[in-house]
Amino acid sequence: MLKLTVKPGEYVLIGEEVKIVFAGGSAKNLRILVDAPKKYNIVRSEALERYGMAADPGNEVRHYPERQISAEAQDKIKSILMAERKRIRREQRAASKG
């Protein structure tokens, strides 16, 4: 285990993908920011204890589950994007003529 003393604004890099920033705090609380890819399961010990889980691989607590978008919703998104692109092209053509 590594013990560090850091000042607010300083950070620690873990590998090339994980950055932990010390954001300040008080005598009883410490605020940190963790910037890591979604592939890493980052869970507070309190959450593990609440769910009665050990911090072992495979015991993942997902606070924000990935939701699948229905095919209907994907089609609507595509049509909205296409309509927006057409509108922008029309406006650009009109601006270049005027």
Side-chain angles (χ1 to χ4, degrees):
M1 183 174 290
L2 174 66
K3 180 180 178 181
L4 300 171
T5 302
V6 293
K7 298 174 185 168
E10 290 184 333
Y11 59 89
V12 175
L13 292 174
I14 300 174
E16 295 181 10
E17 297 180 294
V18 180
K19 183 177 185 179
I20 300 175
V21 181
F22 174 55
S26 64
K28 293 185 178 184
N29 293 304
L30 170 70
R31 288 190 316 274
I32 61 170
L33 307 168
V34 179
D35 183 19
K38 282 187 173 187
K39 68 182 179 181
Y40 294 106
N41 185 39
I42 301 170
V43 183
R44 292 172 58 154
S45 59
E46 177 184 316
L48 290 172
E49 292 166 7
R50 183 180 322 134
Y51 295 112
M53 299 170 69
D56 295 326
N59 287 344
E60 297 182 355
V61 177
R62 297 282 181 201
H63 294 284
Y64 304 102
E66 298 281 333
R67 293 186 180 168
Q68 296 297 321
I69 298 176
S70 68
E72 181 182 351
Q74 289 177 7
D75 290 341
K76 286 182 181 180
I77 292 169
K78 286 178 188 175
S79 66
I80 291 168
L81 290 173
M82 287 175 35
E84 186 65 15
R85 288 181 188 136
K86 287 179 184 178
R87 183 189 63 79
I88 290 170
R89 279 191 227 122
R90 278 194 309 265
E91 288 175 359
Q92 288 173 342
R93 278 189 239 126
S96 66
K97 290 181 182 179

